[in-house]
Structure formats: structure tokens, C-alpha cells
Short mmCIF file of all heavy atoms in Angstrom, two decimals:
data_model
loop_
_atom_site.label_atom_id
_atom_site.label_comp_id
_atom_site.label_asym_id
_atom_site.label_seq_id
_atom_site.Cartn_x
_atom_site.Cartn_y
_atom_site.Cartn_z
N PHE A 1 11.84 3.42 -0.16
CA PHE A 1 12.78 2.75 0.75
C PHE A 1 13.82 1.93 -0.01
O PHE A 1 14.94 1.76 0.45
CB PHE A 1 12.06 1.90 1.78
CG PHE A 1 11.51 2.71 2.93
CD1 PHE A 1 10.16 2.90 3.08
CD2 PHE A 1 12.37 3.30 3.85
CE1 PHE A 1 9.65 3.65 4.13
CE2 PHE A 1 11.88 4.06 4.90
CZ PHE A 1 10.51 4.23 5.04
N GLN A 2 13.46 1.41 -1.17
CA GLN A 2 14.43 0.66 -1.96
C GLN A 2 15.49 1.57 -2.55
O GLN A 2 16.60 1.12 -2.85
CB GLN A 2 13.72 -0.13 -3.06
CG GLN A 2 12.90 -1.27 -2.51
CD GLN A 2 12.00 -1.93 -3.55
OE1 GLN A 2 11.97 -1.53 -4.71
NE2 GLN A 2 11.27 -2.95 -3.12
N ASN A 3 15.19 2.85 -2.69
CA ASN A 3 16.10 3.78 -3.35
C ASN A 3 16.66 4.88 -2.44
O ASN A 3 17.42 5.72 -2.91
CB ASN A 3 15.41 4.43 -4.55
CG ASN A 3 15.10 3.40 -5.62
OD1 ASN A 3 15.98 2.76 -6.15
ND2 ASN A 3 13.82 3.21 -5.90
N ASN A 4 16.27 4.90 -1.18
CA ASN A 4 16.74 5.92 -0.24
C ASN A 4 17.17 5.26 1.06
O ASN A 4 16.39 4.56 1.68
CB ASN A 4 15.63 6.94 0.05
CG ASN A 4 15.27 7.76 -1.16
OD1 ASN A 4 15.96 8.71 -1.48
ND2 ASN A 4 14.20 7.37 -1.85
N ALA A 5 18.39 5.53 1.46
CA ALA A 5 18.92 4.90 2.66
C ALA A 5 18.99 5.84 3.86
O ALA A 5 19.25 5.41 4.96
CB ALA A 5 20.32 4.34 2.37
N GLY A 6 18.75 7.12 3.65
CA GLY A 6 18.89 8.10 4.73
C GLY A 6 17.73 8.10 5.70
O GLY A 6 16.80 7.30 5.61
N LYS A 7 17.80 9.02 6.65
CA LYS A 7 16.75 9.17 7.65
C LYS A 7 15.44 9.57 6.98
O LYS A 7 15.42 10.39 6.06
CB LYS A 7 17.14 10.24 8.67
CG LYS A 7 16.11 10.42 9.74
CD LYS A 7 16.55 11.37 10.82
CE LYS A 7 15.44 11.43 11.87
NZ LYS A 7 15.89 11.97 13.12
N THR A 8 14.35 8.98 7.46
CA THR A 8 13.03 9.26 6.89
C THR A 8 12.05 9.62 7.99
O THR A 8 11.90 8.87 8.97
CB THR A 8 12.49 8.04 6.11
OG1 THR A 8 13.43 7.70 5.08
CG2 THR A 8 11.14 8.35 5.50
N GLU A 9 11.39 10.75 7.83
CA GLU A 9 10.31 11.15 8.72
C GLU A 9 9.00 10.83 8.00
O GLU A 9 8.79 11.27 6.87
CB GLU A 9 10.38 12.65 9.03
CG GLU A 9 9.23 13.12 9.90
CD GLU A 9 9.22 14.63 10.11
OE1 GLU A 9 9.84 15.36 9.32
OE2 GLU A 9 8.55 15.06 11.06
N VAL A 10 8.15 10.04 8.65
CA VAL A 10 6.85 9.70 8.09
C VAL A 10 5.82 10.49 8.90
O VAL A 10 5.73 10.33 10.12
CB VAL A 10 6.57 8.19 8.16
CG1 VAL A 10 5.22 7.87 7.54
CG2 VAL A 10 7.68 7.40 7.48
N ILE A 11 5.08 11.34 8.21
CA ILE A 11 4.13 12.25 8.87
C ILE A 11 2.71 11.89 8.46
O ILE A 11 2.41 11.79 7.26
CB ILE A 11 4.41 13.71 8.48
CG1 ILE A 11 5.83 14.10 8.87
CG2 ILE A 11 3.38 14.66 9.09
CD1 ILE A 11 6.31 15.38 8.21
N PHE A 12 1.88 11.72 9.46
CA PHE A 12 0.44 11.56 9.23
C PHE A 12 -0.26 12.70 9.95
O PHE A 12 0.01 12.96 11.12
CB PHE A 12 -0.08 10.22 9.79
CG PHE A 12 0.37 9.03 9.02
CD1 PHE A 12 1.51 8.33 9.41
CD2 PHE A 12 -0.33 8.59 7.92
CE1 PHE A 12 1.93 7.22 8.71
CE2 PHE A 12 0.08 7.48 7.21
CZ PHE A 12 1.22 6.79 7.60
N HIS A 13 -1.13 13.38 9.23
CA HIS A 13 -1.95 14.43 9.85
C HIS A 13 -3.33 14.31 9.22
O HIS A 13 -3.66 14.99 8.25
CB HIS A 13 -1.34 15.80 9.60
CG HIS A 13 -2.01 16.87 10.40
ND1 HIS A 13 -1.57 18.15 10.43
CD2 HIS A 13 -3.10 16.85 11.20
CE1 HIS A 13 -2.34 18.88 11.21
NE2 HIS A 13 -3.28 18.10 11.68
N LEU A 14 -4.10 13.39 9.77
CA LEU A 14 -5.41 13.06 9.20
C LEU A 14 -6.52 13.74 9.98
O LEU A 14 -6.56 13.68 11.20
CB LEU A 14 -5.59 11.55 9.18
CG LEU A 14 -4.56 10.81 8.33
CD1 LEU A 14 -4.60 9.32 8.59
CD2 LEU A 14 -4.79 11.10 6.85
N GLU A 15 -7.44 14.35 9.24
CA GLU A 15 -8.60 15.00 9.84
C GLU A 15 -9.71 13.99 10.09
O GLU A 15 -10.44 14.08 11.07
CB GLU A 15 -9.11 16.10 8.92
CG GLU A 15 -8.13 17.21 8.68
CD GLU A 15 -8.59 18.11 7.55
OE1 GLU A 15 -9.77 18.05 7.14
OE2 GLU A 15 -7.76 18.89 7.08
N TYR A 16 -9.85 13.07 9.15
CA TYR A 16 -10.87 12.03 9.25
C TYR A 16 -10.41 10.87 8.40
O TYR A 16 -9.76 11.05 7.38
CB TYR A 16 -12.24 12.53 8.76
CG TYR A 16 -13.31 11.50 8.94
CD1 TYR A 16 -13.90 11.30 10.18
CD2 TYR A 16 -13.71 10.71 7.88
CE1 TYR A 16 -14.86 10.32 10.36
CE2 TYR A 16 -14.68 9.73 8.05
CZ TYR A 16 -15.25 9.54 9.28
OH TYR A 16 -16.19 8.57 9.45
N ILE A 17 -10.76 9.65 8.82
CA ILE A 17 -10.33 8.47 8.07
C ILE A 17 -11.43 7.42 8.14
O ILE A 17 -11.99 7.16 9.21
CB ILE A 17 -8.99 7.94 8.63
CG1 ILE A 17 -8.49 6.75 7.85
CG2 ILE A 17 -9.05 7.68 10.10
CD1 ILE A 17 -7.06 6.36 8.16
N ASN A 18 -11.74 6.81 7.00
CA ASN A 18 -12.74 5.75 7.00
C ASN A 18 -12.07 4.39 7.23
O ASN A 18 -10.84 4.27 7.24
CB ASN A 18 -13.58 5.77 5.71
CG ASN A 18 -12.79 5.48 4.45
OD1 ASN A 18 -11.65 5.04 4.48
ND2 ASN A 18 -13.41 5.74 3.31
N SER A 19 -12.87 3.36 7.41
CA SER A 19 -12.32 2.04 7.78
C SER A 19 -11.46 1.45 6.67
O SER A 19 -10.44 0.81 6.96
CB SER A 19 -13.45 1.08 8.16
OG SER A 19 -14.37 0.95 7.10
N GLY A 20 -11.82 1.65 5.41
CA GLY A 20 -11.00 1.14 4.31
C GLY A 20 -9.62 1.78 4.30
O GLY A 20 -8.61 1.12 4.07
N SER A 21 -9.57 3.08 4.57
CA SER A 21 -8.29 3.78 4.61
C SER A 21 -7.44 3.32 5.79
O SER A 21 -6.22 3.23 5.68
CB SER A 21 -8.53 5.29 4.71
OG SER A 21 -9.16 5.79 3.56
N LYS A 22 -8.08 3.04 6.92
CA LYS A 22 -7.33 2.59 8.11
C LYS A 22 -6.52 1.34 7.78
O LYS A 22 -5.35 1.23 8.14
CB LYS A 22 -8.28 2.28 9.28
CG LYS A 22 -8.83 3.49 9.95
CD LYS A 22 -9.77 3.09 11.07
CE LYS A 22 -10.54 4.29 11.58
NZ LYS A 22 -11.51 3.93 12.61
N LYS A 23 -7.14 0.39 7.13
CA LYS A 23 -6.45 -0.85 6.80
C LYS A 23 -5.25 -0.60 5.89
O LYS A 23 -4.17 -1.14 6.09
CB LYS A 23 -7.41 -1.84 6.14
CG LYS A 23 -6.73 -3.13 5.72
CD LYS A 23 -7.72 -4.17 5.30
CE LYS A 23 -7.11 -5.45 4.82
NZ LYS A 23 -5.85 -5.85 5.32
N LEU A 24 -5.44 0.25 4.89
CA LEU A 24 -4.36 0.50 3.94
C LEU A 24 -3.25 1.34 4.54
O LEU A 24 -2.07 1.14 4.23
CB LEU A 24 -4.94 1.10 2.67
CG LEU A 24 -5.85 0.07 1.97
CD1 LEU A 24 -6.82 0.73 1.03
CD2 LEU A 24 -5.04 -0.99 1.26
N ILE A 25 -3.59 2.27 5.42
CA ILE A 25 -2.55 3.02 6.13
C ILE A 25 -1.78 2.09 7.06
O ILE A 25 -0.56 2.21 7.20
CB ILE A 25 -3.16 4.24 6.85
CG1 ILE A 25 -3.48 5.30 5.80
CG2 ILE A 25 -2.23 4.77 7.93
CD1 ILE A 25 -4.16 6.53 6.31
N THR A 26 -2.49 1.16 7.67
CA THR A 26 -1.81 0.15 8.50
C THR A 26 -0.80 -0.62 7.65
O THR A 26 0.34 -0.86 8.08
CB THR A 26 -2.83 -0.80 9.14
OG1 THR A 26 -3.72 -0.03 9.96
CG2 THR A 26 -2.14 -1.86 9.99
N ASN A 27 -1.19 -1.01 6.44
CA ASN A 27 -0.27 -1.72 5.56
C ASN A 27 0.97 -0.89 5.23
O ASN A 27 2.09 -1.40 5.19
CB ASN A 27 -0.97 -2.13 4.26
CG ASN A 27 -2.03 -3.19 4.47
OD1 ASN A 27 -2.06 -3.86 5.50
ND2 ASN A 27 -2.91 -3.35 3.50
N ILE A 28 0.78 0.41 5.00
CA ILE A 28 1.92 1.29 4.73
C ILE A 28 2.84 1.35 5.95
O ILE A 28 4.07 1.27 5.82
CB ILE A 28 1.43 2.69 4.31
CG1 ILE A 28 0.78 2.63 2.92
CG2 ILE A 28 2.57 3.72 4.36
CD1 ILE A 28 0.04 3.88 2.50
N LEU A 29 2.26 1.45 7.13
CA LEU A 29 3.07 1.48 8.35
C LEU A 29 3.83 0.17 8.55
O LEU A 29 4.99 0.18 8.99
CB LEU A 29 2.20 1.78 9.58
CG LEU A 29 1.83 3.24 9.75
CD1 LEU A 29 0.78 3.38 10.85
CD2 LEU A 29 3.05 4.08 10.07
N ILE A 30 3.21 -0.94 8.23
CA ILE A 30 3.89 -2.24 8.35
C ILE A 30 5.08 -2.30 7.39
O ILE A 30 6.15 -2.79 7.76
CB ILE A 30 2.90 -3.40 8.14
CG1 ILE A 30 1.93 -3.48 9.34
CG2 ILE A 30 3.62 -4.72 7.92
CD1 ILE A 30 0.75 -4.38 9.13
N THR A 31 4.90 -1.77 6.19
CA THR A 31 6.02 -1.70 5.25
C THR A 31 7.15 -0.83 5.81
O THR A 31 8.32 -1.22 5.76
CB THR A 31 5.54 -1.16 3.89
OG1 THR A 31 4.64 -2.11 3.32
CG2 THR A 31 6.71 -0.94 2.93
N CYS A 32 6.81 0.33 6.35
CA CYS A 32 7.83 1.19 6.96
C CYS A 32 8.53 0.45 8.10
O CYS A 32 9.75 0.54 8.26
CB CYS A 32 7.19 2.47 7.49
SG CYS A 32 6.55 3.59 6.24
N ASN A 33 7.76 -0.28 8.88
CA ASN A 33 8.32 -1.04 10.00
C ASN A 33 9.28 -2.12 9.52
O ASN A 33 10.33 -2.35 10.13
CB ASN A 33 7.19 -1.65 10.82
CG ASN A 33 7.65 -2.13 12.17
OD1 ASN A 33 8.04 -1.33 13.01
ND2 ASN A 33 7.60 -3.43 12.39
N ASP A 34 8.95 -2.77 8.41
CA ASP A 34 9.84 -3.79 7.85
C ASP A 34 11.19 -3.17 7.50
O ASP A 34 12.24 -3.75 7.80
CB ASP A 34 9.22 -4.43 6.60
CG ASP A 34 8.02 -5.30 6.91
OD1 ASP A 34 7.83 -5.69 8.09
OD2 ASP A 34 7.25 -5.59 5.97
N TYR A 35 11.18 -2.00 6.88
CA TYR A 35 12.44 -1.34 6.53
C TYR A 35 13.17 -0.85 7.79
O TYR A 35 14.40 -0.91 7.86
CB TYR A 35 12.21 -0.20 5.54
CG TYR A 35 11.96 -0.73 4.15
CD1 TYR A 35 10.67 -0.81 3.63
CD2 TYR A 35 13.01 -1.20 3.37
CE1 TYR A 35 10.45 -1.32 2.36
CE2 TYR A 35 12.79 -1.71 2.10
CZ TYR A 35 11.50 -1.77 1.60
OH TYR A 35 11.29 -2.29 0.35
N PHE A 36 12.43 -0.39 8.78
CA PHE A 36 13.04 0.00 10.06
C PHE A 36 13.76 -1.20 10.68
O PHE A 36 14.89 -1.09 11.17
CB PHE A 36 11.96 0.54 11.02
CG PHE A 36 12.47 0.83 12.40
CD1 PHE A 36 13.18 2.00 12.65
CD2 PHE A 36 12.22 -0.05 13.44
CE1 PHE A 36 13.65 2.27 13.93
CE2 PHE A 36 12.67 0.22 14.72
CZ PHE A 36 13.39 1.39 14.96
N ASN A 37 13.11 -2.36 10.64
CA ASN A 37 13.71 -3.57 11.21
C ASN A 37 14.93 -4.04 10.42
O ASN A 37 15.74 -4.81 10.94
CB ASN A 37 12.67 -4.68 11.32
CG ASN A 37 11.68 -4.42 12.44
OD1 ASN A 37 12.00 -3.74 13.42
ND2 ASN A 37 10.48 -4.93 12.29
N GLU A 38 15.07 -3.58 9.18
CA GLU A 38 16.26 -3.88 8.39
C GLU A 38 17.39 -2.90 8.68
O GLU A 38 18.46 -2.98 8.10
CB GLU A 38 15.94 -3.83 6.89
CG GLU A 38 15.08 -4.96 6.41
CD GLU A 38 14.76 -4.85 4.92
OE1 GLU A 38 15.28 -3.94 4.24
OE2 GLU A 38 13.99 -5.69 4.44
N GLY A 39 17.12 -1.94 9.58
CA GLY A 39 18.17 -0.99 9.96
C GLY A 39 17.99 0.42 9.45
O GLY A 39 18.86 1.27 9.66
N ARG A 40 16.88 0.70 8.78
CA ARG A 40 16.65 2.06 8.28
C ARG A 40 16.31 3.00 9.43
O ARG A 40 15.69 2.60 10.41
CB ARG A 40 15.50 2.08 7.27
CG ARG A 40 15.72 1.22 6.06
CD ARG A 40 16.91 1.70 5.22
NE ARG A 40 17.12 0.83 4.10
CZ ARG A 40 16.60 1.02 2.90
NH1 ARG A 40 15.84 2.04 2.66
NH2 ARG A 40 16.85 0.15 1.94
N ASP A 41 16.70 4.25 9.28
CA ASP A 41 16.42 5.29 10.27
C ASP A 41 15.07 5.92 9.93
O ASP A 41 14.99 6.74 9.02
CB ASP A 41 17.55 6.32 10.24
CG ASP A 41 17.45 7.34 11.36
OD1 ASP A 41 16.50 7.28 12.16
OD2 ASP A 41 18.35 8.21 11.43
#
């Protein structure tokens, strides 16, 4: 996100996820959300 300003599609296709992964994927989504709130597509 620091180096790309264009439209970004974030794709998740998970078959199974453990609790530790859920927290870290949530953190990644929060980061994406921060950039979205800065005006990123």
C-alpha cells in the first residue's frame, strides 16, 4: 500500500483457519481498512 496507489482487490479463500490465524488476518484487514480510509480504492 505504501508503494501502490491503484485499485486493489483483496481476496480471501480459506478452507480452514485456526484461532491464531484469525487474529492475524484481522490485523491485515485492519491495515487494509486504514489505507481505504486514507482514500485508497
Side-chain angles (χ1 to χ4, degrees):
F1 280 110
Q2 290 171 359
N3 295 299
N4 293 280
K7 181 174 182 163
T8 302
E9 177 185 20
V10 182
I11 301 165
F12 289 94
H13 190 174
L14 298 167
E15 297 169 14
Y16 184 79
I17 182 168
N18 64 12
S19 57
S21 295
K22 285 179 191 177
K23 177 170 178 28
L24 294 159
I25 284 176
T26 301
N27 292 343
I28 290 169
L29 281 171
I30 289 168
T31 294
C32 292
N33 195 66
D34 291 343
Y35 284 101
F36 174 78
N37 287 333
E38 289 179 4
R40 301 296 178 93
D41 188 358

